[in-house]
Amino acid sequence: AYGAGGAWFAQVLSSMTQTHGASQGSFFDTKDMTPLTSGAMVETLKILEMQLKYGHPDELNRSIDLNQISMENEECMLSLNWGHAFVQSSNQGRLGVGRVPGSQKVLDRETGKLVTCNKDICPNAVYYDDIGFVNYAPYAGGGWGGAVNGNISDEKKKLAMEFLTFFASKEESRKWVIPKVGSQEYYAGYDAYRLSHMNVEDYVEQGFDREQTDAYLYSIKEGLASPNLVLEIRFPEVAKMGSIVDIAVINHLNTTKGITATDQMRRDVMTDVTANLTKIISDYDARATIEKMEKILPQYQKLRGVYGELNENKNLIGEVRWVGYALGF
């Protein structure tokens, strides 16, 4: 849904907006679709400005290929990236892997301001003797999926599903997720997505560094096991929303590069983004009413598992229309 800039923005923002798990929502409130921007977005922009200050000089003009190459060439010592960067890295034995940072301050949804974490506000936070409570919100973004069109012949449906099943199988997927270091598959790089991809010995056999692989797999397990895991948004218009956020963030960073930005500049960006997101939701809901479709809020609530809790109508599906087979991995 997001470009790389939007994904990094969502990751930083989520550490301040979600404290009670995915059912709470990290970018929109699951109660009423209120954008969770305000003070959290202002602080996120400030953090990204500081990252840019010490980042690669070409950072705003390229995407994830830049930090991959820069890490390989040892031009950068710290980077954010998806898991495939580990699989593709030639810096075996020299690359450290860890979870993304958390936040000591989180958003008070009533006031729109940031408050300091404590065990009540951040029940899933980790306590450190020197800095206190830190709220972590691992961002489970992206993912692969395959679908088969329900309008094609039964024979083609079967063949397509057999192909997807084959590609996602334990044996075949291992070639791409745990490739031999230096092989052709090594440079494709897929994130681990099966339990069978979590065995460190399989990676070591293929030439990966043991200690480095341990850290990589631990970070995955730690993130997925977190009660405060952030799920990527998958409702209508999310691509349009992501584009608005991505462009606003990049434009702000370009505008403020080399100068000291003010909180007012950041608030202006936040206000514009919030207004644009709200308008997209309003426009979609208006069209949904006319065309008798489901509005965005109930779709979002169903995706976060809170629809039955917040509504009298407990039917999660409604009218079901056969479309075809689907396989997610």
Side-chain angles (χ1 to χ4, degrees):
Y2 302 100
W8 303 159
F9 173 86
Q11 173 65 79
V12 177
L13 182 81
S14 298
S15 69
M16 292 177 263
T17 56
Q18 182 177 294
T19 56
H20 286 67
S23 62
Q24 185 185 32
S26 62
F27 207 88
F28 296 95
D29 195 313
T30 52
K31 294 179 181 178
D32 55 14
M33 286 304 295
T34 298
L36 300 173
T37 47
S38 53
M41 182 168 181
V42 171
E43 183 65 20
T44 298
L45 290 173
K46 186 184 297 185
I47 291 172
L48 294 180
E49 290 163 20
M50 289 190 287
Q51 288 184 220
L52 183 63
K53 181 179 179 180
Y54 300 102
H56 194 283
D58 205 26
E59 187 170 347
L60 294 179
N61 300 319
R62 293 171 63 185
S63 188
I64 56 175
D65 67 312
L66 173 63
N67 55 17
Q68 179 82 20
I69 294 171
S70 299
M71 290 292 287
E72 293 296 302
N73 295 337
E74 299 185 358
E75 297 173 341
C76 293
M77 61 180 296
L78 181 66
S79 176
L80 281 171
N81 211 332
W82 282 280
H84 73 275
F86 164 81
V87 178
Q88 295 176 340
S89 176
S90 61
N91 288 323
Q92 293 301 313
R94 294 178 293 165
L95 183 68
V97 182
R99 64 180 175 184
V100 294
S103 176
Q104 295 167 264
K105 293 185 177 182
V106 295
L107 181 69
D108 182 322
R109 299 191 178 194
E110 297 298 322
T111 66
K113 297 180 180 180
L114 296 181
V115 295
T116 301
C117 262
N118 59 43
K119 63 180 181 180
D120 296 319
I121 299 173
C122 309
N124 299 304
V126 176
Y127 180 78
Y128 299 93
D129 291 334
D130 53 344
I131 58 175
F133 288 94
V134 175
N135 182 63
Y136 290 98
Y139 181 62
W144 297 93
V148 181
N149 192 320
N151 296 318
I152 61 177
S153 68
D154 289 341
E155 181 184 5
K156 289 182 178 179
K157 288 177 188 174
K158 184 174 181 295
L159 289 172
M161 198 61 189
E162 286 178 352
F163 168 75
L164 292 174
T165 304
F166 162 75
F167 192 75
S169 67
K170 178 179 178 180
E171 294 75 17
E172 185 64 19
S173 65
R174 187 183 186 279
K175 300 176 184 177
W176 302 93
V177 177
I178 317 176
K180 188 172 184 60
V181 172
S183 67
Q184 181 179 353
E185 292 85 357
Y186 177 71
Y187 297 100
Y190 283 75
D191 290 18
Y193 60 87
R194 297 179 60 112
L195 290 177
S196 60
H197 300 153
M198 304 300 287
N199 182 8
V200 65
E201 297 300 333
D202 291 340
Y203 288 83
V204 174
E205 287 178 9
Q206 297 289 73
F208 288 88
D209 179 78
R210 180 181 296 277
E211 184 176 352
Q212 190 170 298
T213 303
D214 263 329
Y216 167 63
L217 296 180
Y218 178 78
S219 69
I220 294 176
K221 294 175 184 177
E222 184 180 40
L224 294 178
S226 170
N228 200 36
L229 182 70
V230 174
L231 300 177
E232 189 170 58
I233 300 171
R234 295 296 176 91
F235 54 63
E237 305 290 68
V238 71
K240 187 183 297 183
M241 294 176 178
S243 179
I244 284 174
V245 173
D246 203 9
I247 292 171
V249 170
I250 295 301
N251 285 345
H252 172 75
L253 294 177
N254 269 314
T255 300
T256 58
K257 188 175 183 179
I259 68 170
T260 301
T262 65
D263 273 348
Q264 185 57 54
M265 296 170 71
R266 302 179 189 111
R267 281 193 294 268
D268 288 344
V269 177
M270 179 272 294
T271 300
D272 287 344
V273 167
T274 303
N276 285 327
L277 295 177
T278 303
K279 186 177 187 305
I280 290 174
I281 295 169
S282 177
D283 289 348
Y284 180 88
D285 287 350
R287 189 170 73 253
T289 300
I290 296 172
E291 300 178 9
K292 296 183 178 180
M293 301 186 300
E294 192 171 46
K295 294 182 178 181
I296 287 184
L297 177 58
Q299 295 185 58
Y300 184 41
Q301 290 173 336
K302 291 172 184 178
L303 290 168
R304 293 296 177 267
V306 296
Y307 183 76
E309 298 175 16
L310 303 177
N311 299 271
E312 291 183 7
N313 181 3
K314 301 297 193 292
N315 183 2
L316 300 184
I317 301 177
E319 297 293 328
V320 178
R321 180 176 68 86
W322 170 253
V323 176
Y325 300 101
L327 176 68
F329 52 92

